[in-house]
Amino acid sequence: MDHRVTQFDEMGGPDGATRAPYQKLAQWLAGTPPELLASRREQAELLFRRIGITFAVYGAQEATERLIPFDILPRIIARSEWTALEKGLVQRVTALNLFLADIYGKGEILKAGKVPAELVYGNPGYCPEMAGRRVPHDIHVHIAGVDIVRTDDHGFYVLEDNARTPSGVSYMLENREVMMRLFPDLFSMHRVAPIEDYPDELLATLRSVAPPKASNEPTIALMTPGQYNSAYYEHSFLADKLGVELVEGRDLFVKDDVVYMRTTEGPRRVDVIYRRIDDDFLDPLTFRPDSALGVAGLIGAYHAGNVTLANAVGTGVADDKAMYTYMPDVIRFYLGEEPLLQNVPTWRCREPEALSYVLDRLEELVVKEVNGSGGYGMLVGPHASKAQVEEFRAKLKAHPDNFIAQPTLALSTCPISVAQGVAPRHVDLRPFVLSGANGVRVVPGGLTRVAMTEKSLVVNSSQGGGTKDTWVIDDAIMGQA
């Protein structure tokens, strides 16, 4: 991968000619008056406001909740491109699950020296309480969100693995619903892979990992920190789509190592908890004693094999940004295969030679905290002030283990609809991968996140980024009249 790679436009291509997946959209745009696009943008915003789809931004002074910007032009991926990406995602998440089962078990990859033991055992995401504990079907990551970027016409790169409580799938589903309502004519011109069955697939995945002691119809609940959490809309949306109870810690209790849910008809046993609460807050008897969000005794019931937690406790060690750099070796070790999806080139600042390289080129690189998320705690060298660069230089010298660095990628661009017409904006993609006893599934598409500000590379919703509907279309009908 060339660190100086030039910007790739997914619609225009390297030579400016419209790429095959976008030909019908280009034709449609050529025949669509600007007034109609402006009207559809307003209608989309009205629909999202009516739905109430918001994202809470911690620390924001102007508002506690914002409407996530939505762009009405779809991002389009050819089926052949998607098939290759899907294979790489399945391979990667399979390896992630094998890695987690191993490091909490025999630790063979650590004994082989493929991953430094101190990087695992000293990791904030590593959970000592899970050491020696097996989880149902040895699946730790039931729902993964893998952040993908594109820099050219030939391949995709993994930017980040999200193995704890990945969010965004509700926006993927709502985006599709709004697009189908506003642009039926555009849909009729394409054969778009459906994503509406994602809730059914998720429910089947959760049922498949129920404890052996559960009934044939296991009881599933979605556990939320409550209405003040930034992703609460998604929690309530998914519980509704899944047809399961949305619960808070106070709605559950543990008796004799069995989890029960309080209902108007009396206690009801819970077999699977799709938890959207961080490890530290799950159980005040095991983790933070001041947590009012969790359930006392939950981890005891978990260890007794009477309840499944999805995702498993302790998965954060696998999506740490320092651990990310070892994923190619992890795939080779467990699967005996070469990675189908490449990592972005990354310098581990914990290594003296890499640190020296990064310090000499801070103005050119992106520097990230290994445990950072949401676009926070990072330096984008080319867009940073001298003061910001020097601040990070001091941080790197003081605590190099806390950082990794990557080249400033020219993320691919897709067209968005703006008042002046159509303009390119940088995008990434978060596909969602489901792993259960019934296999590994990937919803065709995922959440495309878009930097709504011109030239910005930050796509995170918490930093003002927006979203798009993502279409996977059949190659056979691309470009047909």
Side-chain angles (χ1 to χ4, degrees), residues 150-188:
R150 190 171 197 176
T151 59
D152 55 40
D153 201 10
H154 306 295
F156 298 88
Y157 295 86
V158 176
L159 186 63
E160 190 172 301
D161 300 295
N162 296 280
R164 292 176 236 200
T165 54
S167 62
V169 76
S170 62
Y171 307 112
M172 174 191 80
L173 294 169
E174 291 284 27
N175 287 354
R176 176 60 55 87
E177 193 169 320
V178 168
M179 285 294 289
M180 291 179 75
R181 188 179 300 186
L182 294 181
F183 298 101
D185 54 334
L186 194 54
F187 267 93
S188 68

Side-chain angles (χ1 to χ4, degrees), residues 159-297:
L159 186 63
E160 190 172 301
D161 300 295
N162 296 280
R164 292 176 236 200
T165 54
S167 62
V169 76
S170 62
Y171 307 112
M172 174 191 80
L173 294 169
E174 291 284 27
N175 287 354
R176 176 60 55 87
E177 193 169 320
V178 168
M179 285 294 289
M180 291 179 75
R181 188 179 300 186
L182 294 181
F183 298 101
D185 54 334
L186 194 54
F187 267 93
S188 68
M189 298 166 62
H190 298 84
R191 194 173 299 160
V192 183
I195 60 172
E196 294 78 17
D197 60 349
Y198 175 84
D200 294 332
E201 297 280 11
L202 174 56
L203 188 61
T205 296
L206 295 173
R207 282 178 172 158
S208 77
V209 294
K213 301 171 186 176
S215 67
N216 292 332
E217 290 294 327
T219 298
I220 299 168
L222 194 155
M223 187 179 179
T224 176
Q227 62 180 328
Y228 298 109
N229 183 265
S230 63
Y232 181 72
Y233 171 83
E234 174 156 300
H235 305 166
S236 57
F237 173 90
L238 283 175
D240 181 60
K241 290 289 185 182
L242 292 169
V244 304
E245 292 294 330
L246 179 67
V247 298
E248 297 181 30
R250 62 191 177 189
D251 301 317
L252 304 174
F253 68 93
V254 176
K255 183 179 179 182
D256 298 329
D257 283 339
V258 175
V259 182
Y260 294 93
M261 174 171 55
R262 293 182 174 92
T263 76
T264 55
E265 299 174 353
R268 183 181 179 188
R269 179 170 176 161
V270 177
D271 303 301
V272 181
I273 298 176
Y274 176 19
R275 54 95 175 203
R276 299 295 293 263
I277 294 179
D278 293 341
D279 290 356
D280 284 349
F281 299 94
L282 281 172
D283 184 346
L285 299 183
T286 305
F287 301 118
R288 285 183 53 160
D290 61 339
S291 172
L293 302 175
V295 185

Side-chain angles (χ1 to χ4, degrees), residues 293-424:
L293 302 175
V295 185
L298 177 58
I299 299 303
Y302 184 42
H303 287 164
N306 292 327
V307 68
T308 297
L309 297 179
N311 287 344
V313 176
T315 55
V317 66
D319 66 13
D320 174 275
K321 290 181 177 63
M323 194 63 65
Y324 158 92
T325 65
Y326 291 93
M327 275 306 298
D329 295 320
V330 168
I331 291 169
R332 294 184 190 105
F333 183 81
Y334 294 112
L335 303 179
E337 302 169 355
E338 284 301 306
L340 298 175
L341 294 175
Q342 301 302 311
N343 274 13
V344 173
T346 305
W347 291 274
R348 304 166 185 146
C349 296
R350 64 198 302 270
E351 299 172 358
E353 189 176 334
L355 176 63
S356 176
Y357 180 93
V358 171
L359 288 172
D360 287 344
R361 296 166 177 81
L362 270 182
E363 295 84 357
E364 306 168 13
L365 302 174
V366 175
V367 182
K368 301 177 181 178
E369 291 182 356
V370 294
N371 293 303
S373 64
Y376 295 104
M378 62 186 284
L379 174 81
V380 182
H383 298 171
S385 66
K386 287 186 178 179
Q388 289 171 325
V389 169
E390 292 310 311
E391 179 187 350
F392 259 79
R393 189 184 306 279
K395 288 181 179 180
L396 276 166
K397 288 180 177 178
H399 303 288
D401 288 11
N402 292 349
F403 297 91
I404 55 99
Q406 295 171 330
T408 305
L409 298 177
L411 303 183
S412 64
T413 59
C414 285
I416 72 166
S417 176
V418 295
Q420 296 77 21
V422 174

